[in-house]
Amino acid sequence: MTSAAATLSSPEHAVESSAPSRVAELQARIRSMQATKLDSKLIPTHPAIAGLLPGGGLQQGAAYSVDSSAMLLMTLLAAPSAAGSWCAVVGVPEFGVEAAGHFGIDLDRLVLVPRPAEQWLAVTAAVADVMSVVVTRPPKRATDSSIARLAARLRQRGTTLLVLGNWPQTEAMLSLSQSTWHGIGDGHGHLSSREVTITVTSRMTGRPRSTRLWLPDSGAVVRRSDTRVDDTRRYGT
Amino acid sequence: MRWEPPRVALLWCPDWPVTAAAQSAKVLVDAPIALISGGIVHASSAAARVEGIRRGLRLREAQAMHPDLVVLDYDAALDNRAFEPIITALEALVPGVQVLRPGLCAVQVRGAARYYGGELPAGLFLTGRADDEGAGGARVGIADGIFTADQAARRTGAQGNDRVHVVQTGHSADFLAPLGIGLLDDQQGPVGAAAIVTLLRRLGIRTLGDFAGLPADDVTSRFGPPGARLHALASGRDSWPVTPRTPPQDLDVMIDFEPALDRVDQVAFGVRAMAERFILDVTAAKLVCTAIRVELDSDSGELSERVWLHPRSFTPGDVVDRVRWQLQGSGEVGLSSGITRVRVSPEAVDAIGNHESGLWGQGPDERIHHGLSRVQSMLGHGAVLMPGVGGGRTLHERQQFVAWGDRLVGDRPAGQPWPGQLPTPLPGTVFSPRHPVHVFSRTGAAVAVDERGALSAPPVSFSATGTQARTLTAWAGPWPIDERWWSEDATSSWRFQAVDDTGCAWLLVLDAGGWWAEARYD
């Protein structure tokens, strides 16, 4: 009886204070019911982006579609690479190596397969067997059956796949918009920092989540920006 | 019992480094050749010496003396490798060969002299055998001890019986007496020989005979053991016997194809058994192979040669893969006809104990190597790359790639200051090759930069060939790069950063070939 009284004693106050956490809890339950796999482990993810992703970070064995932005890609690779994982980049011959080093990717644990040509899917699968994070850019649409085979392989090995371009059955889609460069003027200065809006679209969360990001700021650090996302311009309510 | 000096025959191939390099580069030995090591002439052929090109000269000076000079790189490993067949051939004739350095080896001559009926015939036989193996013009000196034999070999002629100089037993001291004291200051002398020889010169001792005339006890008490050794050499009492080398086990394997094979998979199949045998032999010698040299002979006489490294150690499958990659990648070597011979030799070996896999396996690295090797066998050796950052000013120069398993060789360290580098942040996308673009001013004319760095007009838009023009919202530049203005491959270009109306930033370069989009900040 005492416990019931305690819970009933301040119902209004309790509900009000914990409403956001309750929503989050319910969303998590919905997610776990909708998830295609059981308890997936997270790999280290950049804190500025982790919060937007379903599950709170990049998951092992999942595929993500990333807008073709090398800096966003490098930001995603930097955290697992710094934590000791091996990363591979398949089919991206223009991957800027020195920039990757500046973003915090350990070049000693980075492997490039710049031109897999026709065998890109087989190469991606072979590399996914041994690497923790694999980036690939499909030169053309793969058949559904081969994608399903690759997805099964990723789940089995716990490899995270980042796809530059469209990919069916992704965990989430990361895209950039409203990019603003600072430090450069009309004939003077130089590129020093950039603010972008990053939008994560996922089947799990329904509504796309966006935030403003310094990618990078003038100190070459990627962090959340204080400015708010101008939602109306992009989604036009 | 009376002390018998060891009789030694010393085979000397004059200008061996030049002979070896000329054979490897398929140049006539008679041509004026200079071997260069670190910008300095290391060795020169007889024809070059006539022109005054000697060891120690700078390359520019040598080329100025003889404009048609054939310049080759000096490779110490090649010297040794090319001398190996000659040693093997000599070992087949006389037991016990000591290699002093490439081009110079000593043998015990007593048995051979008895067999061939005298020391002179034995010496002639040795020179004949060396000629057969491609060391033309080899000379032989026969005397008591290695030092005397070496001096005898230097006093031979180039033709017939003159090629062998025999100093009879007990006549060494007489032979050496008139020679200069400076000869002791050679590689064969003990440590400190140079200082002793300098001192002897100051004491007025000019010839070996003068030195040998000093009482041995006095020399020992004044100069210690090195002096005693030099004194023994000078008086022809070199007591050191020939210490024959242990012939190394021959681990090379070779397979001939008759008729020649012209398909890669046929050759790969053909070498499979050979690769198995190769690795079995290496393992039986308690070794593992960490680098192999693959030589492919084609029907039309071409030779494709390459060293392949392995981050761990070779297995038979790896060897077959390397042969296949070399065949596939022989585009640059240009094998135009069928393969007649494949030869695999170990370039670097290590004791097998250092490569024993642990009881619980080697952890993740082995897995990664297997996975990447699989990709390499699908796409070729150069398809899997490890990136690195080297020195340079342009983005292309700074990024370096090395195939998985190979060693990164960067001669330009990234750590040094490279004025003119791009400021951070660096572009994440570096186009390879660069895209040609057009950059327009407000009037639609192409933007140009004059030699003083002044723009003809501010750029307002740019377009890649065949695409829609992008309007520029901001730009900066031009930043000049003027590299190697003193040489023929001088490059001079202007760099710009530009932001288009979608918020995407570009690195544009203007050089003699026009405008290029070199990289994108995306």
Side-chain angles (χ1 to χ4, degrees), chain B residues 18-31:
Chain B
V18 175
T19 314
Q23 278 175 2
S24 161
K26 299 205 173 13
V27 182
L28 282 180
V29 181
D30 305 338

Side-chain angles (χ1 to χ4, degrees), chain A:
Chain A
M1 200 59 211
T2 48
S3 64
T7 48
L8 288 171
S9 60
S10 56
E12 248 75 14
H13 180 69
V15 166
E16 240 169 0
S17 69
S18 64
S21 65
R22 182 121 183 93
V23 170
E25 187 194 325
L26 286 172
Q27 276 181 345
R29 278 184 65 187
I30 294 167
R31 248 200 319 276
S32 69
M33 286 173 191
Q34 286 181 335
T36 51
K37 50 196 168 295
L38 298 170
D39 57 335
S40 46
K41 282 187 197 153
L42 299 182
I43 62 170
T45 315
H46 196 282
I49 300 174
L52 300 173
L53 290 164
L58 293 174
Q59 291 168 12
Q60 282 190 353
Y64 294 85
S65 171
V66 180
D67 223 12
S68 71
S69 157
M71 290 194 186
L72 175 59
L73 188 67
M74 288 168 187
T75 309
L76 290 173
L77 288 181
S81 179
S85 297
W86 281 74
C87 305
V89 180
V90 177
V92 191
E94 70 272 16
F95 190 78
V97 170
E98 198 176 6
H102 282 236
F103 268 85
I105 300 174
D106 190 340
L107 297 184
D108 291 339
R109 287 193 299 271
L110 177 68
V111 176
L112 307 179
V113 187
R115 291 182 177 84
E118 289 302 303
Q119 305 193 51
W120 66 274
L121 198 62
V123 168
T124 305
V127 169
D129 271 355
V130 291
M131 300 273 163
S132 315
V133 186
V134 176
V135 178
T136 191
R137 179 162 62 196
K140 60 180 183 200
R141 219 189 115 77
T143 61
D144 286 344
S145 60
S146 56
I147 286 175
R149 268 204 304 279
L150 180 58
R153 209 150 165 180
L154 294 175
R155 268 199 301 278
Q156 190 197 351
R157 298 283 179 184
T159 305
T160 308
L161 182 71
L162 304 175
V163 184
L164 294 173
N166 282 324
W167 193 254
Q169 299 175 9
T170 50
E171 195 72 19
M173 223 177 83
L174 291 84
S175 56
L176 291 189
S177 57
Q178 295 170 9
S179 158
T180 316
W181 280 97
H182 300 279
I184 188 169
D186 210 12
H188 55 82
H190 69 87
L191 299 171
S192 66
S193 58
R194 164 171 81 157
E195 270 188 293
V196 288
T197 301
I198 175 168
T199 309
V200 176
T201 321
S202 168
R203 286 178 295 129
M204 313 294 161
T205 50
R207 191 182 145 81
R209 302 182 187 179
S210 302
T211 188
R212 285 295 270 180
L213 212 63
W214 284 104
L215 188 69
D217 69 2
S218 50
V221 179
V222 178
R223 59 184 171 87
R224 289 265 179 119
S225 160
D226 301 329
T227 49
R228 289 198 45 201
V229 181
D230 186 4
D231 266 11
T232 49
R233 210 195 305 168
R234 185 172 163 85
Y235 302 109
T237 44

Side-chain angles (χ1 to χ4, degrees), chain B residues 96-339:
Chain B
V97 175
Q98 179 182 6
V99 182
L100 299 168
R101 60 168 187 267
L104 197 65
C105 61
V107 294
Q108 296 158 341
V109 80
R110 195 183 300 275
R114 210 176 296 144
Y115 185 81
Y116 293 108
E119 287 177 342
L120 184 66
L124 287 173
F125 204 81
L126 289 179
T127 54
R129 196 79 187 87
D131 283 350
D132 295 347
E133 289 298 324
R139 324 259 183 98
V140 170
I142 300 175
D144 299 341
I146 293 172
F147 175 72
T148 319
D150 190 6
Q151 301 314 323
R154 309 274 160 173
R155 269 143 205 90
T156 49
Q159 296 299 326
N161 283 2
D162 287 350
R163 289 173 66 183
V164 180
H165 188 127
V166 181
V167 177
Q168 296 302 332
T169 314
H171 288 76
S172 292
D174 300 340
F175 169 72
L176 291 173
L179 304 180
I181 192 89
L183 291 174
L184 288 175
D185 181 12
D186 205 6
Q187 291 102 323
Q188 307 159 35
V191 181
I196 294 174
V197 169
T198 310
L199 185 55
L200 288 175
R201 276 215 189 89
R202 287 189 187 162
L203 292 172
I205 294 168
R206 307 280 171 193
T207 63
L208 294 177
D210 293 347
F211 186 37
L214 299 176
D217 291 345
D218 291 354
V219 172
T220 311
S221 61
R222 173 68 180 80
F223 296 110
R229 167 85 184 129
L230 288 181
H231 189 257
L233 290 181
S235 45
R237 287 182 288 106
D238 181 4
S239 57
W240 289 10
V242 172
T243 38
R245 67 162 194 169
T246 316
Q249 199 180 349
D250 189 10
L251 294 171
D252 295 11
V253 288
M254 193 169 68
I255 188 165
D256 289 304
F257 297 117
E258 179 63 41
L261 299 181
D262 51 5
R263 283 191 34 206
V264 173
D265 49 350
Q266 286 176 329
V267 176
F269 187 78
V271 299
R272 192 166 293 270
M274 181 188 86
E276 299 261 355
R277 198 174 70 236
F278 172 68
I279 295 300
L280 270 181
D281 286 352
V282 170
T283 313
K286 295 195 175 57
L287 296 170
V288 293
C289 202
T290 54
I292 59 169
R293 172 179 294 274
V294 177
E295 293 173 21
L296 306 169
D297 282 346
S298 80
D299 212 3
S300 53
E302 293 153 315
L303 173 71
S304 154
E305 191 180 18
R306 192 194 147 155
V307 175
W308 294 91
L309 301 181
H310 198 288
R312 303 175 58 76
S313 62
F314 278 99
T315 63
D318 294 335
V319 175
V320 175
D321 271 348
R322 298 313 186 273
V323 172
R324 194 168 57 215
W325 295 341
Q326 189 163 335
L327 286 166
Q328 285 167 341
S330 61
E332 68 255 40
V333 188
L335 291 180
S336 56
S337 52
I339 299 297

